[in-house]
Amino acid sequence: AVQEAAAGEESEPAGEGSAGAAAAAEGGAAARAEAAAEMDRLLRDCFLHAAHAVKDASLPMTVNAFYSQHMRPGRPAGTSLDVKASSYKKLSAFASAMEREGLCTTATPKLGELSVRTLGRSTDAYCHFCGREECSD
């Protein structure tokens, strides 16, 4: 029966099946890109939320600890935070992107994990996220 079903699928004209598959692939790729962009936005928002919660005295902190102890618990209710579903794919790439924006500085101590050393509390993104024009933090 499986062979018959497969044979039935092959009887479709070649042009129509190929075009349909290509359109479906393009639609799937667009949907994945949109989902990744949405996860990127959520990650950034959760990073900024966590940056407000973490005190400077707690730094440096490993990127893994910052993510699991501060970013994930601060995500909006009913959402999932998954760096693998973002365009970054890895926490180190995400942390590097946040560093390029000036939202943090990172370092890798000898034989250690990537750590958040400082948070960019004077950046516009940080200040606007907290709803203030100028931050005194």
Side-chain angles (χ1 to χ4, degrees), residues 91-111:
L91 276 177
S92 59
F94 172 71
S96 294
M98 296 300 97
E99 186 168 31
R100 283 191 302 276
E101 283 192 50
L103 296 174
C104 68
T105 59
T106 61
T108 305
K110 289 184 181 178
L111 303 174

Side-chain angles (χ1 to χ4, degrees), residues 61-65 107-116:
M61 177 185 302
T62 67
V63 171
N64 287 333
T108 305
K110 289 184 181 178
L111 303 174
E113 291 184 60
L114 183 65
S115 296
V116 175

Side-chain angles (χ1 to χ4, degrees), residues 14-107:
E16 291 177 24
S18 299
E26 285 179 22
R32 284 189 300 277
E34 179 58 35
E38 182 60 33
M39 186 57 66
D40 290 355
R41 286 188 288 274
L42 183 59
L43 281 165
R44 188 173 184 277
D45 284 352
C46 289
F47 180 92
L48 289 166
H49 178 76
H52 285 278
V54 171
K55 303 295 181 205
D56 287 336
S58 300
L59 300 174
M61 177 185 302
T62 67
V63 171
N64 287 333
F66 189 83
Y67 177 76
S68 64
Q69 295 172 12
H70 300 284
M71 288 177 62
R72 287 184 55 94
R75 70 188 184 273
T79 63
S80 175
L81 195 63
D82 183 3
V83 74
K84 291 180 183 179
S86 73
S87 66
Y88 304 109
K89 303 298 181 203
K90 293 184 177 183
L91 276 177
S92 59
F94 172 71
S96 294
M98 296 300 97
E99 186 168 31
R100 283 191 302 276
E101 283 192 50
L103 296 174
C104 68
T105 59
T106 61

